[in-house]
Amino acid sequence: MIDLHTHLWPHEPGTALPTYDDLARACEHARSVGVHQIAITEHCHRFEEIAEVALPLWRRDGSPSLQAAADRVWDAERGAHLDEYVALLTAAQDRGLPLLVGLEVDHLPGADEAISSILHGYPFDLLLGSVHWIGAWLFDAYGDPTFGSEWDRRPVEQVWDAYVDAVIELARSGRVDVLAHVDVIKVAGNRPSDVSAFEARLCSALAASDVAVEVSSAGLRKPADELYPSPRLLGLLHDAGVGLTTASDAHQPEQLGDRFDEVYASLRELGVEALTTFTRRQRQRVPLR
Ligand SMILES: [Zn+2]
Ligand SMILES: [Zn+2]
């Protein structure tokens, strides 16, 4: 099994990047639960080089309280350096750890091009593309009073529409290899009464672009209580020939390969025969056994 979406760096301010020993322990734990390859994919906003360039360019609409909350998130979590992060991961690869050098890249309208040019110079194996922000609203931080209460202010259809637009824009940009948690807009459990039109729109745009999509167990740990993508969307994507990867979105080593029995069972049930993985941003197919 492969887990191409993991974070080993706690989201508390001032925490240090993982060490080689942390990475080795994580790989060992992954192996013990049947995962033979992991990608380390820290969030791009945690790196100074990205924050400095992205913050002045990112067009983030929203109320003053949302803007202030967005600033707080970036201020609290930035501080690492890309050179150091990539050097740590490539050195671990050289020493034989079965990991991929990755990054989770947010779609930040206005700043995307500038972020891509920074990332271009690094030997990433894969870039995950994510939509977490609608303007200055971090919609998946539903536990935060400012971000969470925004769900009560906006019509849910309008929110889903804006989200789907953003994912499609990101997929078409060609800047990322895999779309992470492709229907994470359901994270807090807020869904329109009928999501089929949103899913159909997502699928047809993704099928026409050159991205793979992860099947993630993270939604099972959230109020959404469902894999990302939903069973119906996963079926549509598979029928359309979209490449698939598997992911836990672990935020601690114990979550590596979390509930992969359910992830892999749903893939087998669909008849998926191979997954997609990456080396230095080149796609490879690995048989699903
Ligand atoms: Zn994410
Ligand atoms: Zn993530």
Side-chain angles (χ1 to χ4, degrees):
M1 297 191 286
I2 57 174
D3 188 345
L4 299 195
H5 186 162
T6 75
H7 306 270
L8 298 177
W9 182 19
H11 274 243
E12 282 92 50
T15 50
L17 280 172
T19 62
Y20 171 81
D21 289 342
D22 295 331
L23 295 171
R25 270 194 298 273
C27 290
E28 190 46 49
H29 177 74
R31 220 188 326 260
S32 75
V33 297
V35 172
H36 68 271
Q37 182 181 62
I38 63 175
I40 310 294
T41 54
E42 293 303 347
H43 294 278
C44 69
H45 71 263
R46 310 207 65 178
F47 298 94
E48 280 302 312
E49 295 76 13
I50 306 263
E52 272 168 23
V53 167
L55 282 173
L57 295 171
W58 174 29
R59 292 190 305 271
R60 48 192 193 280
D61 310 327
S63 63
S65 60
L66 280 182
Q67 305 270 358
D71 287 344
R72 275 201 300 279
V73 169
W74 282 68
D75 285 348
E77 296 190 356
R78 61 191 276 186
H81 294 284
L82 266 178
D83 283 355
E84 216 179 305
Y85 170 72
V86 173
L88 170 78
L89 297 183
T90 49
Q93 275 185 327
D94 292 345
R95 290 173 68 178
L97 291 186
L99 57 78
L100 300 180
V101 184
L103 195 72
E104 181 170 0
V105 184
D106 274 298
H107 177 43
L108 303 171
D112 287 335
E113 292 292 333
I115 295 174
S116 283
S117 10
I118 295 173
L119 300 182
H120 195 67
Y122 290 96
F124 285 110
D125 288 310
L126 80 166
L127 297 178
L128 299 183
S130 294
V131 175
H132 296 106
W133 298 91
I134 295 176
W137 180 28
L138 184 59
F139 61 80
D140 60 333
Y142 52 86
D144 173 281
T146 308
F147 293 127
S149 61
E150 197 64 17
W151 276 108
D152 303 326
R153 279 190 205 99
R154 304 193 192 195
V156 70
E157 281 82 7
Q158 194 185 305
V159 171
W160 275 59
D161 239 348
Y163 173 81
V164 168
D165 287 347
V167 174
I168 291 173
E169 204 173 289
L170 175 60
R172 286 183 178 151
S173 73
R175 285 191 296 266
V176 296
D177 306 300
V178 181
L179 290 180
H181 41 64
V182 70
D183 56 353
V184 67
I185 194 65
K186 70 189 177 189
V187 62
N190 302 311
R191 296 172 170 91
S193 50
D194 182 4
V195 299
S196 56
F198 296 97
E199 294 184 335
R201 189 153 81 84
L202 259 180
C203 181
S204 62
L206 301 191
S209 66
D210 190 29
V211 283
V213 169
E214 68 173 25
V215 183
S216 166
S217 61
L220 299 173
R221 305 192 294 270
K222 305 287 178 164
D225 195 25
E226 193 178 67
L227 297 175
Y228 305 123
S230 73
R232 180 176 41 206
L233 180 54
L234 179 58
L236 292 173
L237 292 167
H238 173 59
D239 290 347
V242 174
L244 300 170
T245 71
T246 50
S248 66
D249 205 349
H251 277 68
Q252 51 219 35
E254 300 69 41
Q255 285 175 341
L256 292 166
D258 185 42
R259 297 173 75 168
F260 268 20
D261 47 343
E262 291 168 65
V263 171
Y264 278 74
S266 63
L267 291 168
R268 286 195 192 93
E269 205 173 301
L270 269 181
V272 175
E273 288 174 355
L275 295 173
T276 302
T277 184
F278 295 84
T279 301
R280 299 299 188 254
R281 306 202 60 197
Q282 298 300 308
R283 272 184 193 231
Q284 280 154 3
R285 275 165 65 85
V286 282
L288 183 84
R289 282 190 288 268

